């Protein structure tokens, strides 16, 4: 079976998991479209100010109203999606590279190196996300790349632990032990046997981490870290709207709902993907279990 057909089969199984999985896929499809074409879909210039029409309620001209300096909220929401989503994807990718690969190799490393890697991971797990990102940005500059690297570093321990646990369950398999006794190198073992076995676990962890990364990115941009105003981001919009609740009580609803729906859809998709990947294993287990076998009554 080719990689493309396996991927198509996984998408089909996720789709068949249930209604919640279908809604999550459709929601993320809309979010991905906005992330790719948000700047072109915006009906107005997201930076254009019109103070005479500031803090307007939703109208036919401005479907989500205007902010405190008259900028169209819908345009800023659409234009802010690409940067918010791309930052989350970059942070997740950095965490995946920094965490999953060391986690896999730590199983085959010498004991001193394994011990040192575990202690580093324990230390990183003790660090608070937002405070570390603020300190990191303060040392290296308040830029989007610095913020993404900081988030990626803090996501790495999760990938490390997940990938290491998955490899430990595979490393004791007879075929891996036989290859090790025959002199196979760790790199070859990972490419030939281990990676295919742990890839589903890493995929599920990546989807879950993407939702967490979006939350942290929104928190940082809410505080003005990584992306400076007037550049639109979902977190930055939420921060500016909260200052004018008395004049526009529903102002923060649009960016807040965008964040909540996206993170919720990613969590549902992660659960559906886990169920879809486990389904073939459960089917094989039932087929091999005599207690699960149904025999037809003799005629």
């Amino acid at each position: 079976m080719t990689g493309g057909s396996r991927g198509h089969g996984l998408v089909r199984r996720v789709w068949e998991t249930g209604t919640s999985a279908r809604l999550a896929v459709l929601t993320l499809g809309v979010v991905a479209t906005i992330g790719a074409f948000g700047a072109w879909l915006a009906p107005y210039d997201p930076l254009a100010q019109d103070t005479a029409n500031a803090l307007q309620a939703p109208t036919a001209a401005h479907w989500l109203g205007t902010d405190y300096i008259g900028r169209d909220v819908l345009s800023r929401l659409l234009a802010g999606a690409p940067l918010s989503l791309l930052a989350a994807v970059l942070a997740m990718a950095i965490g995946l590279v920094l965490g999953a690969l060391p986690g896999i190799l730590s199983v085959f490393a010498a004991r001193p190196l394994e011990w040192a890697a575990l202690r580093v991971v324990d230390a990183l797990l003790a660090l608070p996300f937002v405070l570390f990102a603020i300190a990191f940005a303060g040392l290296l500059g308040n830029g989007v790349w610095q913020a993404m690297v900081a988030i990626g570093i803090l996501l790495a321990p999760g990938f490390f632990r997940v990938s290491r646990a998955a490899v430990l369950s595979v490393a004791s398999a007879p075929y891996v032990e036989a290859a090790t006794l025959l002199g196979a190198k760790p790199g070859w073992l990972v490419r030939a046997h281990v990676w295919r076995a742990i890839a589903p676990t890493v995929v599920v962890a990546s989807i879950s981490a993407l939702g967490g990364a979006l939350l942290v990115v929104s928190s940082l941009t809410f505080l003005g870290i990584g992306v400076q105003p007037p550049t639109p981001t979902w977190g930055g919009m939420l921060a500016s709207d909260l200052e004018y609740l008395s004049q526009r009580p529903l102002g923060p609803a649009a960016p807040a709902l965008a964040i909540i729906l996206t993170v919720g859809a990613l969590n549902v998709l992660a659960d559906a993907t886990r169920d879809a990947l486990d389904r073939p294993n459960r089917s094989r287990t039932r087929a091999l279990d005599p207690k699960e076998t149904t025999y037809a009554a003799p005629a």
Side-chain angles (χ1 to χ4, degrees):
M1 183 181 294
T2 63
S5 59
R6 284 197 299 268
H8 178 74
L10 175 59
V11 172
R12 179 176 55 80
R13 293 201 302 272
V14 170
W15 184 261
E16 294 173 351
T17 301
T19 303
S20 59
R22 298 188 187 100
L23 290 175
V25 171
L26 293 176
T27 300
L28 292 175
V30 173
V31 171
T33 302
I34 294 174
F37 305 104
W40 291 275
L41 295 174
Y44 299 96
D45 181 355
L47 302 180
Q49 301 179 15
D50 183 8
T51 54
N53 294 312
L55 298 173
Q56 277 191 348
T59 62
H62 302 282
W63 289 3
L64 296 180
T66 59
D67 66 2
Y68 64 102
I69 52 177
R71 296 173 298 193
D72 182 64
V73 173
L74 177 60
S75 298
R76 290 183 62 77
L77 190 72
L78 294 174
L83 184 56
S84 299
L85 297 173
L86 180 60
V89 171
L90 286 175
M92 184 274 294
I94 292 171
L96 176 63
V97 173
L98 295 180
L101 186 58
I104 294 170
L105 297 179
S106 68
V107 177
F108 304 99
R111 294 302 296 270
L113 291 177
E114 182 183 12
W115 181 90
L118 291 173
R119 299 294 76 78
V120 170
V121 168
D122 291 340
L124 289 175
L125 285 172
L127 295 175
F129 267 61
V130 176
L131 290 180
F132 177 81
I134 292 174
F136 197 90
L139 290 174
L140 299 182
N142 188 12
V144 62
W145 276 105
Q146 290 85 339
M148 296 313 99
V149 171
I151 298 173
I153 291 173
L154 293 174
L155 290 174
F159 283 108
F160 181 96
R161 299 180 71 178
V162 167
S163 60
R164 176 178 167 81
V167 174
L168 285 173
S169 64
V170 177
S172 58
Y175 61 91
V176 175
E177 292 181 347
T180 303
L181 292 174
L182 292 173
K185 301 295 183 182
W188 184 87
L189 285 173
V190 170
R191 292 193 305 271
H193 298 297
V194 174
W195 176 248
R196 287 181 296 178
I198 70 169
T201 302
V202 174
V203 169
V204 174
S206 299
I207 298 173
S208 298
L210 185 56
L214 180 58
L215 281 178
V216 180
V217 167
S218 300
S219 299
L220 293 181
T221 53
F222 178 88
L223 297 173
I225 298 170
V227 180
Q228 296 295 315
T231 303
T233 60
W234 289 351
M237 291 178 62
L238 190 59
S240 61
D241 289 335
L242 285 176
E243 298 180 7
Y244 298 91
L245 283 177
S246 58
Q247 296 95 328
R248 196 164 169 267
L250 296 180
L257 282 175
I259 296 169
I260 292 171
L261 289 176
T262 304
V263 174
L266 286 169
N267 290 335
V268 172
L269 180 61
D271 292 338
T273 304
R274 184 184 298 109
D275 293 341
L277 291 170
D278 288 344
R279 189 184 305 170
N281 296 331
R282 291 197 299 266
S283 300
R284 285 194 294 268
T285 301
R286 286 196 297 266
L288 295 174
D289 190 350
K291 297 180 181 179
E292 298 291 338
T293 304
T294 302
Y295 296 94

